[in-house]
Amino acid sequence: MTFNLIHTSWLPVRRASGRRTMISPIDLTDDISANPIIAFDWSRADFDAASREFMIGLLSTACAAQIIRRQAWKHWWEKPPAAEVLADAFKPLEPAFDLDGDGPRFMQDMTLDGPVDAPVGALLIDSPGNNALKNNTDFFVKRGRIEQLSRSAAAMALYQLQTYAPSGGAGHRVGLRGGGPLTCEVLAGTGTISLWHQLWLNVFADHDWLAEASAQKPIFPWMVPIRFSEKGLATTPEHAHPAYCFWGMPRRIRLDFEAGGDASCSLTGVEDPIQVRSFATKPHGNKYEAWGMRHPLTPHYRQKPTSEWLALHPQPGRMGYQDWIGIIVSDGGEGSALRMPARIVQIALGRLPGYVEKSWRLRLTGFDNDNMKARGFIECEMPLLMVDEETRPAVEQLIRDLILGANEVENLTGYAITTALGEMKRDQGVRWQVSERFWSDTEPDFLDLVSVRMEHSTDAAGKLAISRDWISILRRTSLAIFDELVPPTAIDSGDPLKYVKARSMLHRALQGYDKMGNRIFKALNLEPPTKGKAAIRPQVEEAAS
């Protein structure tokens, strides 16, 4: 009997009571009133995130008709469908979700032949690569820790690799959104939220999905012959159904299933009489190009208004309000914007207008990759604003202004400190410390301004008052960081004049003077002060004291 990912219980979950169990996708709403399923429970944050994306993709593909009709979507939000209803919705897709067997296999190349010699641990994105093994640099994530995977763990490792695939060497293609995309999921409400509601809020389909059904374009690339890319042949949206965006398959892989021997999964400890210890693989799978903003769960950016949209990827360091532009709000109008939030943000907010005001959040997940090397897995949450459609443009513009002003001050603070310390080559250790301190110290005040005052202060006077309060916060934080990292005792060593000039320059700019001060005030839409030596002399004296 085949291991089918629709009706086999293979997904580990946790219920509200704390009880852990395994379910199939059909069982997602089981006992939802008394003891709902609230989370996937792989004991790996990356697998939990990939499982949510798998289920969002499955629901979006199978239930497009219900999603497109607003009332039908809302009906399932208020009264989740029973298992038999989901079973009927998923049934047409079942042939595409066999993990093993002689026919097409889930996310595996049906045409692949050749040696089965790749260790199964290589399916995991965070496993050490060939260079790490060769150079003995696998310090933190050791080799040989994953010798075999149960079928459930192998299925999720395979899905995760195909969906987030980083650069894998010559001919081993990256994912449909590039290597290691950032994924966004909207969360509504506080307290315990069922997994069904978490997923159903983030499903996506539009009328193009139904219109393309008659064109018989493939949804699942493993159900059709691979588009070999050895000679550069690309796979674009013209070659696929719109739902394909959830099911990219850049790597040519075929798992090898073995019975007998140790039945315990190296990753989860689950007992499975059939294990995966190796797989066959070859280069030149699907090469994805021109997919633009078609994936609804990922923010996008472009270099200029005429450039192609590219998926955003996680970067090193903390994610905070400094990242809101491009994730929570765009950086401009639709035609001129260079950074755009994931489409699901506006779609989800429009589905439940006014629902549990001010308790919306955005969950961000993804691998921070350095080419073929995974440096870490990112998971964080950001608040989302619930404001009416009439107010939203003004609120979003004010948010942009506040963040751009803060960015100018952060850059100025770092420059002043490195100048005072005589490190004109911008010592990265000090610069990183300044950035981390600045954004973390100003975030509580920023969130307070946004959550408490923003919605009711979108007229000219209200925006001016917020900007003035914000520059005062930025000024206080910037000078405090400078004084901590460059204490007055620096005057007694090195070049004291550098200290005096740097702090004076910082103080003047934070008051709106000089070129740098004008940049800050312009970003915040504040009028810079009148020029004049008399107005700035006390600041110079304070800096020298």
Side-chain angles (χ1 to χ4, degrees), residues 418-495:
T418 53
T419 300
L421 294 174
E423 299 169 353
M424 294 304 293
K425 293 184 179 180
R426 294 173 65 86
D427 176 87
Q428 292 303 305
V430 173
R431 192 66 187 84
W432 178 86
Q433 188 177 3
V434 172
S435 180
E436 291 292 300
R437 276 286 311 278
F438 179 86
W439 294 113
S440 62
D441 288 358
T442 55
E443 187 161 291
D445 290 302
F446 175 83
L447 295 178
D448 181 64
L449 284 175
V450 168
S451 62
V452 177
R453 295 176 54 186
M454 188 72 69
E455 185 177 357
H456 305 291
S457 302
T458 54
D459 61 336
K463 288 190 287 187
L464 181 61
I466 288 178
S467 293
R468 284 174 173 169
D469 287 347
W470 185 231
I471 188 60
S472 296
I473 293 166
L474 298 178
R475 184 183 299 128
R476 182 175 66 247
T477 304
S478 174
L479 292 173
I481 293 173
F482 183 97
D483 291 340
E484 181 177 330
L485 297 183
V486 190
T489 53
I491 296 177
D492 300 328
S493 61
D495 186 349

Side-chain angles (χ1 to χ4, degrees), residues 342-362:
R343 284 191 289 169
I344 198 62
V345 173
Q346 291 301 323
I347 291 169
L349 291 176
R351 282 172 171 159
L352 297 171
Y355 176 80
V356 194
E357 270 194 43
K358 299 181 181 177
S359 63
W360 291 71
R361 292 162 289 143
L362 190 66

